[in-house]
């Protein structure tokens, strides 16, 4: 469709207001010429968050609850939060995501929402017949000081035989989706795990990875013959098959009876570099402190070295070597890295998104000679910068910039300075990639502008293989497209 | 067997079975998993396309982050509106108040982006922590010399409908402050079109061809200065039932500008809208040009539409959309394609809306207010539609049950308004309904038991059309080829 001739369509350049466009006239006496790039240092707005590189804590909670068998996520607060979060998740996973809400009205904010919460729980129980309802608080419920654990306890006592009710406090003003995710995993374990005799199984706490990642992790653990409780497991619930008949709750997820027994496991493998430090109040730590389950903290197995470490941990637990198939997969990865190393060496990369994903990718890029020049996370974490420096053995650029708690506006500012050749981020990095005219390699969450975000594989040798091929081919494609000759043989 | 919540029974009707009015205009039942959003969302939808204004969301981060750049509302100039600015309140601000941060945020952003005006949206907790947003806005407005307008959009105030009203009130603060001397005698405003995929441009072009001046499209491809002078128009055409009616009423009350409800979805409604304006001005030249335009445009799209109709005749459609006016237009547009509407639902219809909906639908059509995923799945199983029309949240329900789906929401990137929009719509419907993939979906495959396993799908060679491709009927294979005039 063409715009009318009276209007000129300018291709949007990233997110900048273009003061030069014809209809941006001075506003009410304010000099409206806008600034030009050559002007003296400009004070960039810092107080507001501009184009956040994070979403809110209840989203993380909903993802975790979605990964528990026959569990319905429920947000205590106004319904808008639940609706927004549903749409955001549906656009990425392309699966039904039913999140209930207590639908606060004006009076509830004054008199409290307990009545609505109880009614909501009863209705969810009636409509979905779930085994569990995971109740996360929105900012509103937290601000007016709702005592959700108490309300749930009372409701549960009055409705014995009803679904298990799991509260988690997730005010967004105290944490992002990543924090909400980890906090909810911990709450779920605290809620369900009961003293259990020791058994041969292990616990695997993967963090916020893709359903494809979850499937691959399960496959790797199974290859070592280790029984395992993966929590959460939304590999089916958020990436399920076409339905033969209606499903109230998508099949799959970690069974609650398995979560109960996590306390008797031989060990907990807890993934995520940012959880390594002593500060993090994680589920793995709780299992260790309360039930003496040994905790084995590891980075996300992204790239060769971190996957090696993961395999070594599994081998230690299984008291066996790495299975042949997996070793051959590793061999092929190294072989491919050799085949393609020249194309990627020295390329400059900008990476941004959830901290552990960025750290993992950084580690992998370091293995193949790509130099990260900008690493940023929207979630603020003190462990982020040291972790990045730690994983960079070979390729720390002099001009490497590390930002934590950054928004996309800040990330874009820095990216314009460091001029990356490649960008790794969620779909939200697209405007920047477009502006800088560099390829975007989509990773993590959300992927809203491509299909298959739920099937992106980041972990294991196989994930690294996929990434490596993708990076090399992206560079080759670019080179080919831009060459005058257009060789079909490179 | 899927049961409907007892409290929701009265909000569901099957035409022909009962004549009692449908219960609606109620707050959603807790725990029902409503598809409705909040007041803030409604305000954001309506004001978002004002491209040279600064839009700042006062509250914690999620409310702002979830709607960053998801809408298809285009601007022909500034792109400032596509940003997501939030005060991103943190724990201490929640305890001690967020006014300081709001003030600082506004000051910095205004200095940096030099917007024409600023809108400040309140989210739920702002009302609770007691920030005096109005005072901050007044102060910043004085200091920076631009209008800084608070939008009373706390989510808990109600559904999108409540938010529309708050947005209209906010936008109205600008109206009447601009110079109207250059506006001619045949000026109109178009309200309630948001320039999704360039729809406002298309509609504007129709009117301009007919000799009618479009003073302001509100808020599609909107500008602060257009709002300031829109009271210089002689007529307001209001599309989309809920969103802008309030603004039109304010313009009627204070500036004596009459309003007409119109719709630009579907051939009939688009033509009716153009004639409505033409007749209003009682200018033979305008009327004649409108006739020429309508005839030409209908002639251009009709042959291709007829071919689609031949294929789609008798197919069943279900629709669940935000507002009722869209539902009316869709029922008619589907009829034109030979399709029958078996489910018509809206998030926020009024009693009059549902009465009218009932009138235009066939017997047996289920009419529903404020539905939820469980109910929608139930309706799909019972009514067995070939197509579902809705927004992103309804899509997976349809897909999981093996039903084609068309997005008719603000996130879509394909223009569906106007005459050529109808063609896009028909192509969308065709591509959704006739795709061979449905035969493999278990729910449908189960039905095909006993039939030969390899039934060749109906041959469809679908025109590859990208949004913004100029809207020309694409030339498609022999069976569907249309002799367009170009
Ligand atoms: S109020 Fe809090 S929980 Fe709700 S969307 Fe906003 S940030 Fe998220
Ligand atoms: S309901 Fe309130 S808190 Fe939630 S998204 Fe809407 S405005 Fe934000």
């Amino acid at each position: 469709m063409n715009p009318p001739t009276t209007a000129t369509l300018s291709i949007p350049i990233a997110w900048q207001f273009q003061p030069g466009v014809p209809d941006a006239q001075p506003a009410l006496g304010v000099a409206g010429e806008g600034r030009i790039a050559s002007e003296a240092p400009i004070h960039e707005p810092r107080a507001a968050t501009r184009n956040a590189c994070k979403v809110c804590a209840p989203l993380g909670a909903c993802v975790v609850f979605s990964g528990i068998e026959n569990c319905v996520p429920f947000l205590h607060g106004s319904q808008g939060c639940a609706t927004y979060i549903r749409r955001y998740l549906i656009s990425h996973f392309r699966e039904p995501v039913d999140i209930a809400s207590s639908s606060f009205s004006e009076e509830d904010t004054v008199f409290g929402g307990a009545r609505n919460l109880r009614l909501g729980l009863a209705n969810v129980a009636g409509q979905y017949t779930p085994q569990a309802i995971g109740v996360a608080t929105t900012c509103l419920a937290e601000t007016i000081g709702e005592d959700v654990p108490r309300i749930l306890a009372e409701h549960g006592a009055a409705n014995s035989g009803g679904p298990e009710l799991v509260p988690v406090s997730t005010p967004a003003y105290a944490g992002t989706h990543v924090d909400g995710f980890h906090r909810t995993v911990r709450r779920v374990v605290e809620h369900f795990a009961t003293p259990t005799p020791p058994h041969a199984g292990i616990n695997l706490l993967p963090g916020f990875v893709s359903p494809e990642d979850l499937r691959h992790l399960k496959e790797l653990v199974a290859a070592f013959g280790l029984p395992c409780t993966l929590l959460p497991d939304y590999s089916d619930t958020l990436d399920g098959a076409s339905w033969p008949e209606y499903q109230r709750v998508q099949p799959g997820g970690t069974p609650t009876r398995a979560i109960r027994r996590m306390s008797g496991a031989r060990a907990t493998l807890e993934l995520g570099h940012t959880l390594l430090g002593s500060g993090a109040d994680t589920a793995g730590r709780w299992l260790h402190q309360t039930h003496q389950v040994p905790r084995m903290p590891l980075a996300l197995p992204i790239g060769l070295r971190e996957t090696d470490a993961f395999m070594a941990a599994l081998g230690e637990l299984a008291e066996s070597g790495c299975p042949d198939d997996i070793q051959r997969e590793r061999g092929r990865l190294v072989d491919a890295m050799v085949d393609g190393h020249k194309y990627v060496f020295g390329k400059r990369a900008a990476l941004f998104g959830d901290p552990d994903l960025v750290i993992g990718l950084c580690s992998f890029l370091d293995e193949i000679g790509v130099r990260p020049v900008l690493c940023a996370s929207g979630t603020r974490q003190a462990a982020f910068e040291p972790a990045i420096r730690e994983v960079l053995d070979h390729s720390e650029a002099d001009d490497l910039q590390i930002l934590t708690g950054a928004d996309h506006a800040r990330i874009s500012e820095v990216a314009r300075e460091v001029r990356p050749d490649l960008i790794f981020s969620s779909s939200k990095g697209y405007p920047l990639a477009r502006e800088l005219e560099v390829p975007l390699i989509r990773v993590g969450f959300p992927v809203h502008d491509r299909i298959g975000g739920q099937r992106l594989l980041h972990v294991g040798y196989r994930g690294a293989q996929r990434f490596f091929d993708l990076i090399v081919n992206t560079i080759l494609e670019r080179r080919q497209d831009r060459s005058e000759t257009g060789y079909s043989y490179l | 067997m899927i049961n409907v919540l007892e409290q929701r029974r009265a909000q569901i009707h099957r035409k022909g079975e009962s004549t009692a009015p449908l219960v609606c205009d109620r707050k959603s039942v807790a725990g029902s998993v409503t598809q409705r959003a909040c007041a803030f969302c409604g305000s954001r939808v309506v004001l978002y396309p004002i491209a040279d204004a600064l839009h700042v969301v006062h509250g914690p981060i999620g409310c702002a982050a979830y709607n960053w750049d998801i809408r298809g509302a285009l601007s022909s100039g500034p792109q400032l509106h596509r940003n997501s600015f939030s005060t991103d309140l943190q724990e201490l601000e929640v305890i001690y108040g967020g006014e300081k941060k709001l003030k600082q945020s506004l000051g910095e952003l205004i200095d940096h982006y030099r917007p024409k005006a600023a809108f400040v949206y309140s989210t739920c907790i702002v009302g609770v922590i007691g920030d005096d947003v109005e005072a901050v806005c007044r102060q910043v407005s004085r200091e920076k010399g631009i209008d800084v307008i608070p939008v009373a959009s706390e989510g808990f105030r109600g559904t999108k409908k409540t938010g529309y009203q708050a947005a209209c009130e906010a936008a109205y603060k600008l109206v009447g402050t601009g110079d109207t001397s250059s506006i001619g005698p045949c000026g109109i405003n178009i309200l309630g079109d948001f320039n999704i995929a360039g729809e406002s441009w298309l509609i504007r072009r129709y009117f301009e061809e007919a000799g009618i001046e479009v003073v302001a499209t509100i808020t599609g491809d909107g500008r602060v200065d257009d709002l300031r002078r829109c009271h210089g128009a002689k007529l307001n055409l209001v599309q989309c039932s809920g969103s802008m009616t309030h603004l039109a009423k304010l313009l009627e009350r204070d500036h004596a500008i009459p309003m007409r409800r119109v719709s630009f979805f579907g051939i009939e409604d688009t033509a009716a809208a153009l004639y409505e304006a033409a007749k209003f001005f009682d200018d033979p030249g305008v009327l004649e040009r409108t006739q020429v335009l309508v005839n030409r445009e209908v002639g251009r799209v009709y042959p291709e539409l007829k071919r689609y109709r031949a294929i789609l005749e008798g197919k069943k459609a279900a629709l669940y959309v935000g507002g009722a006016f869209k539902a009316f237009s869709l029922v008619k547009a589907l009829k034109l394609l030979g399709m029958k509407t078996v489910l018509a639902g809206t998030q926020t219809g009024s009693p009059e809306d549902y009465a009218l909906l009932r009138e235009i639908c066939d017997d047996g059509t289920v009419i529903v207010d404020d539905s939820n995923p469980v109910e929608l799945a139930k309706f799909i199983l019972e009514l067995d539609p070939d197509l579902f029309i809705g927004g992103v949240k309804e899509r997976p329900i349809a897909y999981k049950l093996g039903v084609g789906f068309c997005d008719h929401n603000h996130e879509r990137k394909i223009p569906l308004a106007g005459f050529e929009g109808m063609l896009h719509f028909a192509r969308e419907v065709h591509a959704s309904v006739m795709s061979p993939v449905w035969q493999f979906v278990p729910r449908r495959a189960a039905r095909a038991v006993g039939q030969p396993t390899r039934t060749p799908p109906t041959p469809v060679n679908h025109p590859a059309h990208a949004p913004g491709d100029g809207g020309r009927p694409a030339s498609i294979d022999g069976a569907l080829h249309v002799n367009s005039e170009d």
Side-chain angles (χ1 to χ4, degrees):
Chain A
M1 174 123 352
N2 296 316
T5 44
T6 47
T8 40
L9 176 67
S10 66
I11 302 285
I13 302 171
W15 308 97
Q16 290 294 339
F17 184 33
Q18 299 297 304
V21 298
D23 58 353
Q25 288 141 14
L28 290 185
V30 175
E33 279 313 298
R35 51 190 186 79
I36 13 177
S38 59
E39 269 176 288
I42 310 121
H43 178 58
E44 290 280 347
R46 287 282 179 267
T49 293
R50 298 178 292 155
N51 304 331
C53 186
K54 60 181 177 185
V55 283
C56 66
L59 179 136
C62 291
V63 172
V64 174
F65 289 134
S66 300
I68 295 170
E69 191 178 55
N70 207 356
C71 174
V72 175
F74 188 114
L75 294 188
H76 187 39
S78 320
Q79 70 201 20
C81 312
T83 305
Y84 269 142
I85 290 172
R86 285 177 61 206
R87 195 192 39 207
Y88 210 75
L89 291 171
I90 289 172
S91 305
H92 174 85
F93 291 103
R94 294 169 192 272
E95 290 289 317
V97 183
D98 290 7
I99 300 171
S101 156
S102 42
S103 296
F104 266 44
S105 65
E106 203 138 12
E107 301 107 70
D108 302 314
T109 67
V110 182
F111 301 110
R115 205 184 55 87
N116 265 18
L117 177 52
R118 281 193 293 266
L119 176 64
L121 292 171
N123 281 336
V124 170
Q127 274 201 127
Y128 292 90
T129 54
Q131 225 177 326
I133 303 176
V135 183
T137 45
T138 67
C139 303
L140 179 62
E142 287 287 333
T143 309
I144 64 172
E146 292 279 281
D147 187 354
V148 174
R150 186 185 54 82
I151 304 170
L152 293 195
E154 285 168 12
H155 185 82
N159 296 274
S160 58
E164 195 86 46
L165 306 173
V166 190
V168 59
S169 156
T170 45
Y173 48 76
T176 68
H177 61 293
V178 176
D179 303 309
F181 185 100
H182 291 306
R183 196 174 315 152
T184 306
V185 173
R186 177 173 167 127
R187 281 296 300 127
V188 166
V189 173
E190 280 175 4
H191 182 91
F192 286 104
T194 42
T196 309
H199 57 80
I202 62 162
N203 303 323
L204 178 56
L205 308 175
F208 189 11
V209 293
S210 76
E212 186 74 15
D213 288 331
L214 295 177
R215 282 189 285 269
H216 190 49
L217 289 172
K218 284 198 283 192
E219 199 182 320
L220 291 174
V221 176
F224 281 85
L226 289 164
C228 168
T229 299
L230 177 73
L231 179 73
D233 180 3
Y234 42 86
S235 58
D236 288 319
T237 54
L238 292 180
D239 192 18
S242 187
W243 291 345
E245 58 200 38
Y246 176 66
Q247 311 285 333
R248 281 171 213 269
V249 182
Q250 284 238 75
T254 317
T256 49
R257 64 181 177 320
I259 308 174
R260 286 187 215 286
R261 299 178 70 245
M262 287 174 85
S263 46
R266 283 177 51 204
T268 303
L269 285 175
E270 196 161 40
L271 308 184
H273 210 297
T274 58
L275 307 179
L276 296 179
S278 54
D281 207 10
T282 66
R285 251 195 202 96
W286 183 84
L287 281 165
H288 181 225
Q289 284 157 0
T290 318
H291 296 280
Q292 293 74 50
V293 182
R295 172 175 185 253
M296 299 172 78
L298 287 166
L300 268 181
I302 296 181
L304 195 70
R305 290 170 296 183
E306 302 294 12
T307 306
D308 283 349
F310 183 62
M311 292 302 148
L314 293 179
E316 196 186 316
L317 289 165
E319 291 169 24
S320 69
C322 185
D324 286 352
D325 278 3
I326 300 177
Q327 266 184 29
R328 277 197 299 277
E329 210 161 43
R330 185 186 191 282
R332 280 194 299 273
L333 170 62
V334 174
D335 194 58
M337 284 160 68
V338 170
D339 290 341
H341 68 280
K342 273 198 185 22
Y343 303 113
V344 299
F345 185 80
K347 294 283 180 220
R348 297 160 64 82
L351 305 81
F352 41 92
D354 295 348
D356 283 314
L357 178 66
V358 171
I359 296 165
L361 287 170
C362 232
S363 170
F364 175 57
L365 294 181
D366 184 71
E367 291 163 1
I368 61 174
V370 173
R371 275 193 301 160
V373 289
L374 165 59
C375 298
S377 71
T379 301
R380 188 178 300 280
Q381 260 162 359
F384 185 66
E385 173 160 1
I388 295 280
R389 301 221 184 262
E390 191 191 318
V391 300
L392 293 180
D393 272 354
H394 306 102
S395 55
E396 184 165 333
D398 299 335
D399 53 352
L400 169 64
Q401 300 256 13
I402 302 172
L403 310 170
T404 183
D407 57 25
H408 280 279
R410 176 84 186 115
I411 291 167
S412 301
E413 265 166 48
V414 176
R416 286 180 199 114
E417 280 163 30
V418 298
R419 306 293 315 176
D421 302 309
L422 285 168
I423 293 177
F424 294 79
S425 95
S426 74
S427 296
K428 298 296 181 189
Y430 178 72
L432 178 64
R434 183 180 168 110
E435 178 193 333
L436 300 180
E437 296 182 1
V438 298
L440 170 69
I441 294 186
R442 288 171 181 76
V443 294
F445 170 90
V447 175
H448 284 167
D449 63 344
R450 289 289 184 274
I451 84 163
Q454 71 278 49
R455 288 184 292 276
L456 289 181
L457 181 65
H458 306 82
V459 301
Y461 302 125
R462 207 181 292 166
Q465 180 73 74
R466 184 189 77 86
F467 266 126
F468 187 76
D469 293 346
L470 181 62
I471 297 168
V472 172
N473 288 335
T474 303
I475 291 169
L476 288 178
E477 185 178 337
R478 172 98 359 174
R479 196 194 276 182
Q480 192 171 32
D481 286 349
R482 299 203 163 173
S483 90
E484 277 178 22
T485 326
Y487 293 107
S488 66
Y489 181 92
L490 295 169
Chain B
M1 177 65 192
I2 306 173
N3 288 322
V4 169
L5 289 175
E6 194 54 49
Q7 305 111 294
R8 291 214 10 89
R9 292 262 159 88
Q11 283 166 277
I12 304 167
H13 270 201
R14 193 183 270 265
K15 181 175 172 186
E17 285 179 5
S18 151
T19 49
L22 189 77
V23 173
C24 58
D25 269 338
R26 278 194 179 175
K27 124 184 210 342
S28 300
V29 175
S32 81
V33 192
T34 171
Q35 306 289 82
R36 285 176 177 172
C38 63
F40 162 69
C41 182
S43 294
R44 197 76 185 90
V45 172
V46 166
L47 297 176
Y48 172 79
I50 305 176
D52 53 357
L54 181 76
H55 301 266
V56 179
V57 181
H58 186 35
I61 193 62
C63 319
Y66 293 122
N67 53 49
W68 175 28
D69 201 39
I70 57 170
R71 307 203 166 274
L74 297 181
S75 162
S76 55
Q79 303 291 331
L80 184 58
H81 65 301
R82 290 179 60 199
N83 288 281
S84 158
F85 299 123
S86 164
T87 48
D88 191 358
L89 293 179
Q90 298 299 305
E91 196 142 23
L92 285 182
E93 285 128 13
V94 172
I95 300 169
Y96 299 110
E99 288 176 21
K100 224 177 100 198
K101 191 173 196 183
L102 174 61
K103 180 160 184 268
Q104 195 186 346
S105 299
L106 282 169
E108 288 180 354
L109 292 169
I110 292 170
D111 287 346
H112 186 73
Y113 294 100
R114 311 276 166 93
K116 289 293 195 83
F119 292 102
V120 180
Y121 303 78
S122 289
T123 61
C124 285
I125 70 167
V126 169
V128 178
I129 64 178
D131 278 4
D132 190 345
V133 176
E134 281 191 27
V136 174
C137 288
R138 264 197 311 273
Q139 201 184 347
V140 176
S141 188
R142 255 197 321 272
E143 283 168 21
K144 301 291 172 191
I146 65 166
D147 283 303
V148 180
I149 303 166
V151 188
S153 56
E154 288 88 346
F156 58 72
R157 284 175 187 267
T159 64
K160 273 187 182 172
K161 240 183 179 173
T162 316
Y164 295 152
Q165 181 119 348
C168 288
E169 291 285 345
Y172 194 63
K173 299 232 164 80
L174 293 169
V175 174
T177 57
D179 176 20
T180 58
S181 57
S182 61
I183 300 172
C186 290
I188 62 165
N189 296 317
I190 297 164
L191 283 75
D193 184 273
F194 302 107
N195 203 28
I196 309 296
E199 289 173 345
S200 301
W201 295 330
L202 187 90
I203 296 164
R204 181 188 272 268
R205 203 161 59 199
Y206 293 153
F207 284 112
E208 286 176 352
E209 185 183 328
I212 293 173
E213 178 182 354
V214 179
V215 179
T217 47
I218 306 171
T219 56
D221 197 13
R223 296 293 181 277
V224 169
D225 285 345
D226 290 348
L227 274 167
R228 290 189 190 286
R229 65 200 278 274
C230 73
H231 61 294
K234 299 287 181 299
L235 173 69
N236 282 327
L237 294 183
V238 188
Q239 176 171 256
C240 178
S241 44
S243 67
M244 282 268 138
T245 310
H246 186 62
L247 185 69
K249 283 186 178 154
L250 293 173
L251 278 159
E252 190 162 37
R253 184 192 71 191
D254 298 343
H255 299 276
I257 306 174
M259 62 178 266
R260 300 277 187 277
R261 284 187 180 284
V262 297
S263 164
F264 295 101
F265 288 115
I267 290 196
E268 290 166 64
D269 283 1
T270 304
L274 295 174
Y275 282 126
E276 184 83 51
K279 275 185 242 147
F280 177 84
F281 287 112
D282 198 18
D283 172 334
V286 169
L287 195 61
E288 200 190 304
R289 283 190 294 272
T290 303
Q291 270 160 350
V292 170
L293 183 151
V294 169
N295 286 340
R296 184 193 64 219
E297 293 293 321
V298 172
R300 189 176 278 176
V301 299
Y302 210 69
E304 191 176 339
L305 289 177
K306 257 171 55 190
R307 316 244 177 200
Y308 285 121
R309 185 189 167 109
I311 299 168
L312 297 169
E313 187 84 58
K315 301 275 181 204
K316 292 186 283 184
L319 49 102
Y320 186 74
V321 292
F325 252 58
K326 196 187 276 173
F328 302 150
S329 296
L330 283 171
V331 171
K332 284 190 247 173
L334 288 163
K335 242 180 214 161
L336 188 76
L337 294 176
M339 294 176 69
K340 192 170 158 250
T341 303
V342 291
L343 167 73
T346 84
Q347 288 174 16
T348 54
S350 67
E352 305 81 57
D353 292 338
Y354 286 115
L356 183 56
L357 203 49
R358 199 184 320 206
E359 225 168 82
I360 62 172
C361 286
D362 299 326
D363 268 357
T365 301
V366 171
I367 296 176
V368 60
D369 175 61
D370 186 20
S371 196
N372 61 40
V374 173
E375 286 172 13
L376 293 173
K378 173 187 164 80
F379 298 140
I380 289 179
L381 296 176
E382 287 174 7
L383 305 167
D384 198 25
D386 301 283
L387 175 74
F388 197 106
I389 301 179
V392 173
K393 292 190 300 291
E394 288 81 34
R395 185 179 61 201
I397 309 166
Y399 280 176
K400 281 289 175 192
L401 292 169
V403 175
F405 178 83
C406 276
D407 188 354
H408 209 296
N409 216 326
H410 284 202
E411 289 112 29
R412 71 192 150 82
K413 305 293 183 282
I414 298 171
L416 301 178
F419 300 104
E420 52 189 84
M422 180 64 201
L423 209 47
H424 291 286
F425 177 68
R427 287 173 188 162
E428 276 274 301
V429 172
H430 179 247
S432 314
V433 173
M434 301 311 293
S435 167
V437 300
W438 305 122
Q439 65 184 318
F440 304 111
V441 170
R443 201 175 67 89
R444 299 231 186 159
R447 225 179 286 172
V449 175
Q451 291 177 17
T453 42
R454 282 195 63 89
T455 27
T458 318
V460 276
N461 223 342
H462 194 70
H465 66 96
D469 66 354
R472 291 278 165 74
S475 111
I476 38 184
D477 82 327
L480 283 175
H481 185 71
V482 175
N483 232 341
S484 57
E485 287 170 10
D486 44 50

